Amino acid sequence: MTTLTVTHGAVEHTPVHFDDLDAMGILHNSRYAVLVERAIGQWWADRGVSFTGGRPTSPDAFNAVREYAITFHRPVTSVGDIAVHFWLAKLGTTSADYRFRVTSLDGADVYAEGRRVNIRLDPATMRPAPWTDHAREIAAPLLGA
């Protein structure tokens, strides 16, 4: 099997486990959000933006999902790795507007696609706060089509 290659954004492989499947043997709808979360989180963690010991390694790690929308195209019916292709449609002052596709590893099967908006928060006030210049540099490769 070939691996999905993309012209914009990033692709992370994420495992589907047996307990992610529902009684019908398909990936439960709520698990897609978890798979997208893990893919985006891993990408940022690989670049030093994560949590260690319960504390953010960067101010930009302190953010929350504001919006989430997904359209399902076909069910995932087995365990194993899948691909999550994601990119930034826009990086605003305090928001990050992601688009994503959940696909087979080669990209031939698109299981779902959607949108997710994160807001960077000030930990003291829990109000929106601007992304740092450092985050903007890291995020540059995610900006795309």
Side-chain angles (χ1 to χ4, degrees), residues 57-126:
T57 59
S58 162
D60 301 294
F62 204 85
N63 64 82
V65 176
R66 177 174 186 195
E67 296 178 36
Y68 187 83
I70 188 166
T71 300
F72 301 100
H73 296 294
R74 58 184 303 181
V76 173
T77 59
S78 62
V79 299
D81 281 353
I82 61 170
V84 178
H85 172 210
F86 57 94
W87 61 96
L88 283 168
K90 180 182 177 190
L91 185 60
T93 302
T94 63
S95 65
D97 186 349
Y98 288 94
R99 300 298 194 268
F100 64 85
R101 294 182 321 138
V102 179
T103 73
S104 57
L105 291 178
D106 63 2
D109 296 315
V110 178
Y111 302 116
E113 61 188 332
R115 174 179 187 239
R116 170 185 150 140
V117 178
N118 285 31
I119 304 294
R120 177 159 155 354
L121 298 174
D122 178 307
T125 65
M126 298 301 283

Side-chain angles (χ1 to χ4, degrees), residues 15 21 23-24 28-30 43 47 52 91 99 103 117 129 133 135 139:
L21 306 179
M24 298 179 292
H28 191 276
N29 67 81
S30 67
W43 189 89
R47 288 148 185 84
T52 301
L91 185 60
R99 300 298 194 268
T103 73
V117 178
D133 290 341

